[in-house]
Amino acid sequence: MDYLDAVVEATGEHDSALREILQENHSEEEVREYLSDAIRSKIRRDFVASHLEQTVENAATLPELDDPPELPERSDEEPILVRKYLDLSKFVSLLQDGIWFSRLDNFDDDYEGRVSDKTVRHRFDQWEYLEFEDDPPPYDLRQMYAAEDEILRKQSFVSCWRYGGEESAVFWNAYINDGNGVAVETTLDTLSSAMERTHREVLTGKVNYREYKGSDERFAANGVDRVFHKRIAFGDEKELRLLARQELNNLDLEVSETGDIDIEVDADPGFNLKVNPGDLIERIILPPEINDRQLTQVVQLMEYHDITAEIWRSMLDVSPGTTAPIQVTGDDAGKIARDDMKRARLVDKSRYR
């Protein structure tokens, strides 16, 4: 919407003839001079509403990116392992309904989907509506950006995984209660392939951990980049994220004459993305100190859903005395050590049917 369009809209006239007269007989500066304060204010409010409605439209789908989100680096030829720690009810949901994507603003961390301090300062320096230099905006710029951020957070949905070969005792304690759960293990390549077979566009990337407050670095500036950034205090998570977008159910937007922006957004809390669990799951890792009853539940669930992946006990349950029976050196040392560890951890499913 350009300025003359805004005048036509604000005056309640939708006849193209009015716009033609304005264009042919008056410059934009002349039109501004003859407008009343009420019309000038309404034009500015209409511009804000138009901008936020465009934000809703843009945030409903993932954009084409020149630089996609970063992926974890490979240190060798081994595949990158990723795990999702799930209590038993969420494991059942994964098997039955697929991968759960949660709306970004539902997480406990209120910085999710926010921009850095430097980006906030840059916003005020580059405010696009300051083309109206002689007509200051009749609203608080902070409210404008807060509304924009809220829209993007409510249209962004993520699934969180942890990458890296080692288990996390912190994650076991945070996500699994008294042994009632599992860690679903797969590889980055397998997970990416599963996303490619779905009906949705999904971006995959690792989370970068940065200092938000007081930093002079500009990052998390666009609607995708900010989803793949978190505060440095969360760095131990080593998080891999899947990002998808979804349209809002409803948006009520009003910019008052006093400049207040009132926005109410209705969006789904999340959704399941259907995948074939047999293709996705490469291994099930059991929580530390799981009992036989709980293990039997896991085995029966997997067999009911035709999941043939191996079940391994937690590395935290392996005895410190578990080593190869003889001293091994040379090229075979690594393989023998891995085989020895597998024997110590691999569960014989036939014992728990």
Side-chain angles (χ1 to χ4, degrees), residues 178-180 286-298 313 317 352:
D178 296 329
N180 288 304
L286 300 172
E289 300 180 357
I290 188 173
N291 62 43
D292 287 351
R293 178 188 59 79
Q294 293 165 329
L295 202 161
T296 300
Q297 279 185 302
V298 173
R313 293 187 181 275
D317 280 345
Y352 299 96

Side-chain angles (χ1 to χ4, degrees), residues 182-199:
V182 299
V184 171
E185 184 175 280
T186 186
T187 66
L188 177 58
D189 290 341
T190 299
L191 182 59
S192 299
S193 296
M195 292 302 98
E196 291 173 0
R197 291 192 293 270
T198 66
H199 63 282

Side-chain angles (χ1 to χ4, degrees), residues 259-275:
D260 292 324
I261 299 174
D262 184 18
I263 182 171
E264 292 186 8
V265 182
D266 179 27
D268 292 336
F271 58 82
N272 287 98
L273 190 56
K274 191 68 176 178
V275 296

